[in-house]
Amino acid sequence: FPVTISDQAIEYLSRAVQIDVSLSVASTQLVRALLTVGQRDSALKVAIDATIAASLSDEAWSARGFVLRLCRRTQEAEESFSRCLIIRPALADHWVSLGISKQMQERFSFALASYERALLVDPLCAEAYVNKGFALKETAQFAQAIETYSRSIAVRPDLCDTYMNSSICNLLVGDFARGWIQYERRWDSEALLLTTRGSPRLVTSKSDFSGGAESRLRRVLVWGEQGVGDEVMLSGIVTGK
C-alpha cells in the first residue's frame, strides 16, 4: 500500500521525538498528526511524555490539555492549561483554552472570567469573543451574547461559527429577520458539520423557498437536514392543499 502524507509525517515526527522528546515543536506536531488519523491514545501518551521531558514548555502543556479535553477529561485538561498560564500568562489562547475547559464542566462564571482575561491580554482575540458569547447564551444572557458575537464578527468576519451561534440567540429573542439570515451561514460551520446533526447543503438547480407569494403557489421540496428529532418536530408545520 502507498504511504500517505500523514503516515510520513508521523514517521518523521516520531523519529524526531525519539531523538529528543523535549523538543516541544516536534512533540506538538506529532500530537496533531496522531489526532488527525484518530490515534487519540497515542497522542495523549506523546503529550504526557513531552510535558515530563519539557515541564517548562507551555506548548507541550497546551497539547496535553487539548488531547485531555478531547477525551472529556476536563478537570485534567483545566490543570494542564493552568500550567500553561503559569509559564506564559500573557498569551490569550491559553486563557481561552482554560475557559473552554471550565465551560465544559458548566462552570460558566469561571469560564467568562477566563475569556475576560484573554481579552485583556488581546482585545482582538476573536476566539475569546466567540466562546464568551456561547457561555452567555448558555446562561440565558442573550442580549449580552448577541453583543459579544457582534464584536467577534467585527474582529474576524470570516468565522462562520460566530454567525451560527449569534443566529440562535437572535431567534431566541424573537429577532427572526436577523436570526434566519445569520442561520444560513450554518452551511459553512465547521462545528455543525463535525456533529452527527450536520449535513452538506442540498445541491440543486432549483431556487430556495423565499416565503413570498410567488413561492407559495409552487410545489416545495422538503428535505431532512439535521436529524430525526428536528424533522419530527418541524414536520407538523408543513401543510399542503
Side-chain angles (χ1 to χ4, degrees), residues 93-239:
D93 286 347
H94 291 338
W95 286 105
V96 173
S97 296
L98 179 65
I100 294 173
S101 298
K102 293 176 182 294
Q103 189 165 284
M104 290 177 68
Q105 300 172 67
E106 298 187 352
R107 299 167 60 198
F108 295 110
S109 60
F110 294 99
L112 286 168
S114 294
Y115 301 140
E116 291 293 347
R117 287 294 299 269
L119 291 169
L120 283 175
V121 173
D122 181 5
L124 299 180
C125 182
E127 289 76 13
Y129 284 119
V130 172
N131 287 286
K132 177 184 176 182
F134 184 86
L136 289 167
K137 178 179 76 69
E138 290 299 295
T139 53
Q141 301 179 65
F142 302 124
Q144 296 93 322
I146 292 170
E147 180 184 356
T148 301
Y149 286 132
S150 296
R151 293 183 181 179
S152 176
I153 292 170
V155 173
R156 283 280 306 278
D158 61 318
L159 286 179
C160 296
D161 289 337
T162 307
Y163 297 93
M164 176 69 183
N165 294 335
S166 180
S167 72
I168 301 300
C169 293
N170 278 298
L171 292 172
L172 286 170
V173 299
D175 189 348
F176 299 116
R178 180 175 301 174
W180 288 125
I181 290 174
Q182 290 182 330
Y183 195 63
E184 286 300 300
R185 298 295 295 270
R186 68 193 181 280
W187 303 111
D188 300 317
S189 170
E190 294 181 7
L192 183 62
L193 291 177
L194 287 173
T195 68
T196 55
R197 298 184 301 112
S199 65
R201 187 170 192 170
L202 178 67
V203 178
T204 176
S205 60
K206 303 299 182 181
S207 59
D208 292 339
F209 177 73
S210 66
E214 72 285 352
S215 296
R216 296 173 189 174
L217 299 176
R218 301 169 64 184
R219 182 175 297 176
V220 177
L221 171 65
V222 179
W223 63 288
E225 179 191 324
Q226 291 186 19
V228 176
D230 289 338
E231 291 170 15
V232 171
M233 179 179 66
L234 297 175
S235 62
I237 65 174
V238 179
T239 60

Side-chain angles (χ1 to χ4, degrees), residues 58-59 62 81 84-85 88-89 91-99:
D58 63 304
E59 291 182 348
S62 180
F81 291 124
C84 290
L85 288 165
R88 195 176 176 187
L91 187 64
D93 286 347
H94 291 338
W95 286 105
V96 173
S97 296
L98 179 65

Side-chain angles (χ1 to χ4, degrees), residues 17-39:
V17 169
Q18 289 172 3
I19 295 172
D20 186 359
V21 69
S22 65
L23 187 61
S24 58
V25 174
S27 297
T28 53
Q29 291 298 324
L30 178 57
V31 168
R32 292 190 181 98
L34 290 169
L35 290 175
T36 300
V37 296
Q39 298 184 34

